[in-house]
């Protein structure tokens, strides 16, 4: 079997087999949805029923999809990559005849898919219960692959960021900043259209918007295939970046020692 | 005076799926003040569980115990002030600080008057050859050095009983031997009752005078170490060196285990024939240059005990 | 009491031992907190007013949350770890000492990152909270009482591990729940949710009621806070001590 597929399968099965962990994450997700519903309902009501074109319903389906995409990624992933580089675990992994970063990302993607299946279904049910049907069922359907792509882009950039540890020996700082970049210019906390214009434009120029904003936008009733293309474009670029960072880092390890 | 007493101690752990596990299945024994006792058994035998009941950490499912006359799980804090503990896999020392800073905190916790604390620290530092380590951050100490400081920490409040749970784990041979020697010194100088758990048989040979063997939660042996050797395996090991390599070595009552060049190893069944007559025979019939008589290794004795039906 | 105070002092010394690491973590936390403040500013920039709350009000709420979390998660860092410590058999070292176990556990670890919250919270209040003596007094009172509620709640959640086993997952959920709800204005929530926040998941007493008290001093509400704090202290203390009887130390392989 293709080693990357095997890695994906490993990540997937491993996650399916820890129901305790899964239920905590789903509980966490449910709490976020409750709070977000309360927040944005009040926000939309205070503004005559619509904010930059988002109604209460479309806004909450946005939140659902954006949060699902981000919660698929294991938290502290960047930090773990940094720790494993710093501790020399990666050096050992380099002895295997596969791409270290490729294998890692496959495993992470497997885990993400397992998580996403649970979060997407449960989250959609809860959101439906709170605010009713999505603005467009086809849009919800298209949001599913968008969520997966957004998650994949997230994982790829975690590796690009975490790879800084090859040079800095500690990726703790990068995890923090990275997470914030996904939260704000990524559109997880607030739809980009609601940001002041200059910030909105900057956010659209950055890759983080493909990780949360795009799935959210699609789910809120805008099944625009161009959005998926945008995600795909950034995904390829981020994969290349992650590959390049790890290749450079591995060369450095070989030259400088662990 | 009895320092530790256990009566039909039992501890059962509930398990999510399946039968509850009985870790300790009715253990009874008594330890005199000032004794050095080794409490040994294979992994999972119930050693640590027993110790934890005697120190008040765990509540037994049934049974009784008293340490220094106090029921451990009922008056845990009162007992804690009078006993010391050293768990091999856990540290009492604060990692980023110096041992002395930990000792200062322990002084407050155990309410040791300042001058007495100073005096004891000086004495323990000397006794355990650790004074030079007191002011170095713990993170920079080797495991052996750290364990000596842990021992100081455990003894600082002059406990009457010291419980040690696998204290030599992870130490190299030299450090282990040294550590065992220190425990004996503490017992001899301060009169502290020592209860040491281990699955390392050398801990018994060098530290303990009495050994209790526990397996599958039950006590299967309780006697002095010397008796254990003699009673359980009526054998002696002979290590012989001959003038010339012999063609063969045949002595009644002895079995040849190894013959290499001019040396031979024999096992004597002392139940069948006393060692004295075997030696006489050997010296009469062969040109013996050197001979030594030894007890079988304790390992063998203990394995023998573990294998006995419970 | 001296033993507990000495333990806390040692824990602080241990946490500060590596100065660079300490300040690094503090600054990360501060950066993290500032992001949230930016979020609220941007949010209100778009939304305007939210059921009587504006950016300024929410930032005061946030300063209370930061300080309270700083005490509960920074100074008494083990409050959130009781579940994990129980599952790992790490209560042993506390139980072999002649000290009150819960007090010792709560004073024996200081978390550098969350101490950053403790430092930033009052600063944010001073800058954005229109600090008058009365408001400052209510801020302080709210933080102290709120910390007791939060710690009591977290300890109770963690102690459940002693009864039902597991690795403290319920504690994590409780922890996330109370902190998330406490980050948002109470008036956003209605009906059943609001009821929940005044009872089982007392987020209302961690930030909501203290924020109200900072706006308007109100004797009945002060007394309510004291009563609720005492109640959760008792609940936390009680569940933990009852749970100790079921403590199985390092025998997790059995579970």
């Amino acid at each position: 079997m293709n080693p990357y597929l095997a890695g994906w399968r490993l990540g997937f099965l491993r996650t399916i087999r820890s129901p305790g962990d899964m239920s905590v994450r789903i509980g966490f997700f449910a709490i976020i949805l409750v709070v977000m519903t309360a927040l944005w309902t009040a926000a939309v009501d205070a503004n005559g029923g619509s904010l930059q074109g988002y109604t209460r319903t479309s806004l909450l389906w946005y939140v659902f999809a954006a949060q699902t995409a981000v919660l698929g990624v294991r938290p502290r992933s960047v930090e773990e990559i940094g720790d494993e580089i710093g501790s020399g675990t990666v050096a050992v992994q380099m002895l295997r005849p596969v791409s270290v970063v490729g294998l890692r990302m496959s495993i992470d993607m497997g885990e993400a898919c397992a998580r996403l299946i649970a979060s997407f279904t449960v989250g959609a049910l809860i959101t439906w219960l709170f605010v009713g049907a999505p603005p467009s069922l086809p849009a919800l359907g298209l949001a599913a692959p968008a969520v997966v792509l957004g998650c994949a882009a997230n994982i790829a950039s975690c590796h690009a960021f975490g790879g800084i540890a090859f040079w800095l020996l500690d990726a703790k700082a990068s995890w923090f900043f990275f997470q914030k970049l996904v939260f704000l210019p990524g559109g997880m906390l607030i739809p980009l259209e609601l940001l002041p214009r200059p910030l909105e434009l900057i956010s659209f120029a950055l890759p983080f918007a493909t990780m949360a904003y795009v799935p959210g936008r699609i789910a809120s009733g805008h099944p625009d295939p161009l959005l998926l293309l945008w995600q795909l474009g950034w995904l390829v670029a981020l994969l290349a970046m992650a590959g390049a960072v790890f290749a450079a880092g591995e060369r450095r390890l070989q030259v400088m020692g662990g | 005076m009895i320092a530790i007493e256990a009566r039909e101690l039992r501890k059962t752990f509930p398990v999510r799926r399946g039968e509850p596990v009985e870790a300790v299945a009715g253990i009874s024994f008594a330890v005199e003040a000032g004794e050095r006792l080794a409490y040994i058994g294979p992994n999972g035998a119930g050693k640590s569980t027993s110790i934890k009941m005697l120190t008040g950490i765990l509540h037994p499912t049934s049974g009784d115990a008293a340490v220094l006359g106090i029921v451990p799980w009922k008056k845990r804090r009162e007992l804690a002030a009078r006993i010391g503990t050293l768990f091999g896999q856990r540290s009492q020392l604060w990692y980023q600080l110096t041992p002395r800073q930990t000792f200062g905190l322990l002084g407050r916790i155990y309410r040791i008057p300042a001058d007495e604390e100073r005096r004891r620290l000086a004495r323990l530092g000397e006794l355990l050859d650790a004074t030079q380590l007191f002011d170095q951050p713990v993170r920079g100490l080797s495991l052996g050095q750290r364990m000596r400081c842990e021992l100081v920490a455990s003894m600082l409040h002059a406990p009457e009983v010291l419980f040690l749970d696998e204290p030599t784990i992870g130490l190299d041979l030299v450090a282990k031997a040294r550590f065992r020697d220190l425990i004996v010194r503490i017992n001899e100088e301060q009169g502290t009752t020592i209860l040491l758990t281990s699955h390392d048989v050398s801990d018994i040979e060098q530290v303990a005078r009495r050994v209790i063997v526990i397996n599958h939660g039950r006590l299967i042996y309780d006697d002095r170490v010397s008796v254990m050797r003699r009673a359980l395996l009526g054998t002696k090991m002979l290590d012989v060196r001959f003038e010339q390599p012999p063609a063969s070595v045949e002595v009644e009552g002895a079995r040849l285990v190894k013959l290499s060049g001019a040396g031979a190893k024999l096992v004597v069944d002392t139940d069948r024939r006393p060692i004295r007559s075997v030696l006489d025979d050997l010296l009469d019939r062969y040109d013996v240059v050197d001979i030594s008589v030894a007890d079988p290794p304790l390992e063998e004795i203990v394995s023998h005990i573990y294998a006995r039906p419970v | 009491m001296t033993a507990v105070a000495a333990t806390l002092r040692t824990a602080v010394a241990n946490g500060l031992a590596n100065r660079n690491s300490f300040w690094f973590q503090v600054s990360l936390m501060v950066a993290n907190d500032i992001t949230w403040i930016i979020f609220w500013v941007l949010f209100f920039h778009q939304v305007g007013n939210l059921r009587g709350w504006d950016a300024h009000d929410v930032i005061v709420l946030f300063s209370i949350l930061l300080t309270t979390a700083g005490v509960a998660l920074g100074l008494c860092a083990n409050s959130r770890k009781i579940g994990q410590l129980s599952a790992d058999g790490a209560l042993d070292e506390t139980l072999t000492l002649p000290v009150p176990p819960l007090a010792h556990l709560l004073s024996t670890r200081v978390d550098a990152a969350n101490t950053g919250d403790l430092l930033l919270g009052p600063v944010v209040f001073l800058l954005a909270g229109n600090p008058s003596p009365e408001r400052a007094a209510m801020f302080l009172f709210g933080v102290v009482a709120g910390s007791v509620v939060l710690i009591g709640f977290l300890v109770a959640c963690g102690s459940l591990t002693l009864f039902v086993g597991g690795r403290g997952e319920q504690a994590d959920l409780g922890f996330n729940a109370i902190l998330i709800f406490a980050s948002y204005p109470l008036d956003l929530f209605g009906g059943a949710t609001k009821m929940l926040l005044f009872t089982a998941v007392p987020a209302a007493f961690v930030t909501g009621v203290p924020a109200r008290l900072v706006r308007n001093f109100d004797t009945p509400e002060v007394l309510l806070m004291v009563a609720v704090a005492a109640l959760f202290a008792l609940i936390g203390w009680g569940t933990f001590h009852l749970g100790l009887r079921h403590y199985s130390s390092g025998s997790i392989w059995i579970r």
Side-chain angles (χ1 to χ4, degrees):
Chain A
M1 189 195 250
N2 178 300
Y4 305 108
L5 214 54
W8 183 95
R9 194 162 165 270
L10 175 74
F12 187 81
L13 290 175
R14 186 161 75 185
T15 311
I16 297 259
R17 290 194 187 128
S18 9
D21 187 55
M22 284 272 249
S23 40
V24 169
R25 300 185 120 252
I26 294 189
F28 177 64
F29 189 31
I31 294 170
I32 292 184
L33 286 177
V34 168
V35 172
M36 289 290 117
T37 307
L39 180 70
W40 290 110
T41 304
V44 169
D45 286 348
N47 280 271
S50 139
L51 275 170
Q52 302 288 359
Y54 286 97
T55 62
R56 178 175 171 260
T57 312
S58 57
L59 195 42
L60 275 137
W61 281 99
Y62 174 100
V63 167
F64 149 75
Q67 293 275 354
T68 307
V70 176
L71 288 176
V73 182
R74 188 178 59 246
R76 313 212 105 93
S77 174
V78 173
E79 200 174 305
E80 278 173 19
I81 296 168
D83 285 342
E84 288 188 18
I85 291 175
S87 69
T89 312
V90 166
V92 172
Q93 290 169 348
M94 275 161 60
L95 296 172
R96 297 193 212 124
V98 281
S99 153
V100 173
V101 67
L103 189 60
R104 291 191 66 101
M105 289 197 288
S106 314
I107 296 176
D108 283 352
M109 214 39 225
E111 288 188 4
C113 288
R115 265 185 222 117
L116 287 176
I117 292 176
S119 315
F120 197 92
T121 26
V122 175
L125 258 138
I126 296 179
T127 313
W128 204 303
L129 250 137
F130 283 168
V131 294
S136 146
L137 271 172
L140 185 61
L142 199 62
V147 162
V148 175
L149 283 175
C151 209
N154 200 329
I155 289 174
S157 51
C158 277
H159 281 80
F161 255 70
I164 292 179
F166 278 113
W167 288 267
L168 287 186
L169 274 189
D170 186 358
K172 221 177 249 173
S174 24
W175 148 250
F176 254 70
F177 291 121
F178 178 79
Q179 197 196 34
K180 303 304 158 258
L181 289 169
V182 176
F183 279 13
L184 278 180
M188 192 196 87
L189 286 181
I190 184 169
L192 297 182
E193 288 85 1
L194 301 185
L195 291 176
R197 192 81 182 134
L199 282 178
E200 189 188 340
L201 290 172
I202 297 174
S203 306
F204 278 125
L206 293 172
F208 305 100
T210 61
M211 298 174 203
Y213 167 77
V214 168
R217 182 73 180 160
I218 293 178
S220 70
H222 300 90
D224 188 348
L226 280 176
L227 290 171
L228 284 179
L229 228 58
W230 181 25
Q231 278 187 312
L232 218 51
W234 268 115
L235 177 60
V236 169
L238 290 167
L239 283 171
M241 259 191 262
V245 169
F246 264 72
E250 285 166 28
R251 263 197 308 279
R252 187 168 191 272
L253 266 188
Q254 286 163 338
V255 169
M256 310 215 43
Chain B
M1 192 199 88
I2 304 233
I4 304 173
E5 198 177 353
R7 273 185 303 262
E8 287 297 312
L9 268 186
R10 204 171 289 267
K11 181 64 182 172
T12 310
F13 290 112
V15 176
R16 247 187 214 154
R17 289 183 217 109
E19 287 293 303
V21 175
E22 199 170 35
V24 175
I27 298 228
S28 306
F29 63 91
V31 181
E32 293 277 335
E35 262 198 80
R36 292 202 301 268
L37 171 71
Y39 197 78
I40 63 166
N43 279 325
K47 308 186 294 293
S48 294
T49 309
S50 314
I51 294 277
K52 286 173 185 176
M53 286 191 280
L54 292 174
T55 48
I57 294 174
L58 295 178
H59 286 64
T61 310
S62 68
D64 260 316
V67 176
L68 301 172
I70 302 170
V71 179
W73 51 91
K74 295 221 175 106
K75 296 212 183 127
R76 189 189 55 80
R77 279 164 65 182
E78 190 186 321
L79 181 62
R82 296 172 63 186
I83 61 171
T85 58
L86 205 163
F87 293 158
Q89 284 158 320
R90 298 206 185 274
S91 180
Q92 293 180 78
L93 303 170
W94 291 74
Y95 196 64
Q96 304 282 356
L97 306 176
T98 66
R100 197 183 291 275
Q101 286 174 290
T102 301
F103 300 149
L105 176 61
L106 290 174
R108 294 291 165 70
I109 287 178
Y110 287 99
R111 299 178 207 233
I112 309 173
D115 48 333
E116 195 168 334
E117 184 189 320
R118 250 194 314 272
R119 202 177 37 83
R120 284 194 208 154
L121 211 50
R123 183 71 199 107
L124 285 168
E126 196 190 311
L127 185 66
L128 302 178
D129 188 25
T131 317
Q132 70 281 16
L133 305 171
F134 287 176
D135 295 299
Q136 296 179 44
V138 172
R139 63 171 187 267
L141 299 176
S142 74
L143 184 59
Q145 292 172 322
R146 216 195 76 210
M147 288 314 282
R148 271 185 278 155
C149 293
E150 297 273 357
L151 204 45
V152 173
S154 307
M155 291 297 301
L156 191 62
H157 57 290
E160 295 158 68
V161 180
L162 182 62
F163 290 94
L164 301 113
D165 191 11
E166 311 265 8
T168 56
I169 261 196
L171 294 177
D172 64 62
L173 284 175
V174 172
K176 274 193 210 211
R178 204 169 167 187
F179 189 82
R180 289 176 193 133
D181 181 52
L182 296 177
I183 298 175
V184 172
R185 265 198 239 174
I186 282 177
N187 168 254
E188 286 174 351
E189 203 201 72
Q190 318 239 327
T192 317
T193 311
I194 305 273
L195 197 154
L196 162 78
T197 72
S198 182
H199 59 261
D200 184 339
V201 166
S202 318
D203 280 342
I204 319 169
E205 284 186 278
Q206 287 166 45
V207 175
R209 290 221 201 85
R210 178 171 158 209
V211 60
I212 284 180
V213 182
I214 169 171
N215 200 11
H216 296 308
R218 273 174 228 282
L219 198 149
I220 55 177
Y221 191 80
D222 178 0
D223 212 324
R224 296 210 302 282
V225 177
S226 51
V227 173
M228 183 161 122
R229 273 186 209 277
R230 254 178 277 134
L232 280 175
L233 284 177
T235 60
K236 288 272 180 199
M237 315 286 287
L238 290 181
D239 214 322
V240 192
R241 204 136 262 288
F242 300 98
E243 176 83 49
Q244 299 283 347
S248 71
V249 183
E250 274 159 29
V251 179
E252 200 201 308
R255 179 170 49 93
L256 183 66
V257 174
K258 187 173 174 190
L259 180 64
S260 62
K265 284 197 204 299
L266 298 121
V267 175
V268 179
D269 184 349
T270 52
D271 288 338
R272 265 185 61 200
R273 195 180 178 192
I275 191 77
R276 180 73 191 268
S277 60
V278 171
L279 288 173
D280 284 341
D281 219 347
L282 203 54
L283 293 165
D284 272 340
R285 289 164 53 199
Y286 297 88
D287 271 326
V288 175
V289 168
D290 195 3
I291 192 162
S292 73
V293 182
D295 289 319
L298 207 48
E299 238 99 16
E300 214 179 292
I301 301 178
V302 173
S303 311
H304 192 79
I305 299 176
Y306 288 171
R308 289 211 298 204
V310 173
Chain C
M1 251 307 122
T2 339
V4 173
T7 309
L8 189 59
R9 204 175 338 133
T10 311
V12 171
N14 193 60
L16 287 175
N18 188 339
R19 289 295 158 109
N20 290 335
S21 168
F22 175 78
W23 285 113
F24 180 65
Q25 301 203 57
V26 166
S27 38
L28 282 185
M29 205 50 160
V30 169
N32 182 55
D33 297 336
I34 290 179
T35 316
W36 282 105
I37 296 180
I38 294 176
F39 162 70
W40 282 120
V41 167
L42 292 174
F43 177 85
F44 280 101
H45 178 264
Q46 179 64 232
V47 171
N49 191 287
L50 208 59
R51 304 219 177 129
W53 289 71
D54 61 14
H56 172 265
D57 297 319
V58 173
I59 289 174
V60 170
L61 178 89
F62 193 59
S63 71
I64 295 174
L65 176 67
L66 285 182
T67 320
T68 306
V71 172
L73 306 175
L75 281 187
C76 303
N78 272 343
S79 61
R80 126 175 223 206
K81 298 248 174 211
I82 302 275
Q84 195 186 315
L85 293 173
S86 306
D88 289 343
L91 299 185
D92 292 356
E93 36 260 56
T94 302
L95 294 175
T96 53
L97 295 174
V99 287
L102 189 58
H104 183 257
L105 280 171
L106 291 177
S107 54
T108 205
R109 207 170 81 88
V110 165
D111 180 82
N114 284 290
T115 314
D117 285 344
L118 183 58
L119 296 173
L120 185 65
V123 170
V124 172
F125 177 73
L126 286 172
L127 291 176
N130 284 336
S132 68
E134 296 84 28
R135 286 169 70 90
M138 279 300 100
F139 175 80
L140 223 56
F141 167 76
V143 163
V144 170
S147 309
V148 174
V149 173
L150 183 55
I151 293 175
F153 175 77
L154 291 175
V155 169
C157 286
S159 305
L160 289 179
T161 308
L162 291 164
F163 292 98
V164 301
R167 298 222 64 240
E169 298 96 345
Q170 349 36 17
D172 274 340
L173 198 56
F175 166 75
N176 284 311
I178 199 170
L179 282 187
I180 292 175
F181 281 117
S183 315
Y184 294 87
L186 208 49
D187 297 304
L188 285 180
F189 305 106
T193 320
K194 204 164 188 176
M195 264 247 66
L196 181 73
L197 301 184
F198 275 91
T199 51
V201 182
F205 297 104
V206 173
T207 51
V209 175
R212 282 213 296 244
L213 284 173
V214 168
R215 269 204 255 193
N216 300 299
F217 173 82
D218 180 56
T219 319
E221 277 206 337
V222 169
L223 294 174
L224 179 65
M225 275 297 295
V226 173
V228 172
L231 178 66
F232 273 92
L234 195 64
I235 291 176
W237 187 92
T239 16
F240 179 73
H241 280 83
L242 284 174
L244 278 185
R245 299 206 193 143
H246 301 273
Y247 179 52
S248 63
S249 192
S251 315
I252 34 171
W253 58 272
I254 286 175
R255 290 173 182 241

